Amino acid sequence: HPGERAMSVVTNLGRTAARAVGGLALDASHGVLTAAAGVRAAATGHTIGPATLRVHVVILSDETGRPLCAPEAVRPALQRADEVLRREAGIRVRVARLQVIDEPAPPRALDPRANQLLLLDDVLGRTEFYRRHEAPVDVATLAVGTPVTVVVVRRIAGRTTGCSLGISADWVIVQAGLFDAADPGSYDETVLVHELGHALNLPHRRDRRNLMFPESSPPDGLRGTALHPWQEAILHANRHVVPGVAQPR
């Protein structure tokens, strides 16, 4: 019914806007508290230990129920994410769950659109399959520390291999071909951590040495993995990142 569809769109639009506004408010307050903790630690002769980002990975299955890739194939990219974020920002990546969804995914979930069109699909309620398999939220992580869910899809429209809706979603999508080590023309360990950067509010940066450079072309044109201090500060202010604990020097 047209009226019901219109109401559903309005509801989804309100939900998306509420997530964005709520996320922004949480990030702002979390950033202030994290900065204050850093100042307090410095004043008392302490150092702050590594922060933690929890990641929940779900691998979709195609129309026949066949997984798009094996869980073991994703592990090197997760390890790379941990190495990059530890080195550049003092954030360790903890894999909360790495699982295959046995239920055959609908074509729209297997082969999603990207960027503004993915946001439109989210508003229209077409990303419910992803949300249904997001990391469960418990009371302890309701405000800080909710995992970012990485959804492994078959193919993303256009020349895109990964996509994030940023502050309005707690999930990102990455293309299964990125994890095929037997295909050097598609294998790229930087995309997963790049999309995690977007999920933690980092914008693109036009510096090929930087993790947030928008393009990466394996095998010879991979982006770098460096981060600037201001990018590190944004990461630590994000609500998904659990602050480190103060320790004596």
Side-chain angles (χ1 to χ4, degrees):
H1 189 276
E4 293 177 352
R5 286 197 295 270
M7 183 59 68
S8 177
V9 170
V10 170
T11 299
N12 288 329
L13 181 60
R15 183 184 61 181
T16 300
R19 282 197 301 262
V21 172
L24 185 61
L26 282 173
D27 289 347
S29 61
H30 181 51
V32 169
L33 292 174
T34 300
V39 171
R40 186 164 53 250
T44 57
H46 289 69
T47 59
I48 301 293
T52 302
L53 170 66
R54 296 197 302 152
V55 176
H56 175 98
V57 182
V58 294
I59 301 169
L60 302 188
S61 294
D62 66 16
E63 297 91 342
T64 67
R66 180 181 179 182
L68 298 180
C69 70
E72 293 74 20
V74 185
R75 290 193 185 278
L78 291 167
Q79 292 168 357
R80 183 70 176 277
D82 181 58
E83 293 168 3
V84 169
L85 293 181
R86 277 179 185 264
R87 183 187 70 236
E88 298 295 327
I91 298 173
R92 56 190 176 186
V93 174
R94 289 287 180 261
V95 181
R97 186 175 298 178
L98 175 55
Q99 68 177 125
V100 171
I101 303 301
D102 295 325
E103 175 189 355
R108 188 173 282 150
L110 288 168
D111 304 311
R113 301 194 290 181
N115 303 318
Q116 291 90 345
L117 292 177
L118 182 62
L119 179 59
L120 175 62
D121 287 339
D122 189 51
V123 170
L124 295 176
R126 296 171 180 170
T127 59
E128 279 305 312
F129 194 82
Y130 302 152
R131 297 192 181 282
R132 183 146 54 89
H133 296 290
E134 276 186 297
V137 177
D138 56 49
V139 175
T141 63
L142 190 59
V144 175
T146 299
V148 175
T149 299
V150 177
V151 183
V152 179
V153 303
R154 181 167 55 195
R155 184 174 298 277
I156 303 173
R159 301 180 62 185
T160 305
T161 55
C163 190
S164 166
L165 296 182
I167 200 169
S168 68
D170 293 333
W171 50 269
V172 303
I173 55 173
V174 290
Q175 202 161 273
L178 294 168
F179 311 114
D180 184 1
D183 183 359
S186 65
Y187 186 77
D188 189 344
E189 293 179 359
T190 72
V191 175
L192 190 152
V193 64
H194 174 92
E195 296 306 331
L196 289 178
H198 282 314
L200 302 182
N201 298 344
L202 290 185
H204 280 145
R205 182 169 176 81
R206 284 290 174 181
D207 177 356
R208 183 170 285 279
R209 298 166 297 180
N210 196 274
L211 176 65
M212 301 314 295
F213 186 70
E215 300 171 11
S216 188
S217 304
D220 301 321
L222 295 178
R223 65 167 62 86
T225 56
L227 289 171
H228 287 274
W230 66 265
Q231 293 174 305
E232 177 185 354
I234 290 175
L235 293 176
H236 280 275
N238 191 271
R239 67 192 184 281
H240 294 290
V241 177
V242 179
V245 178
Q247 304 168 343
R249 291 185 186 275

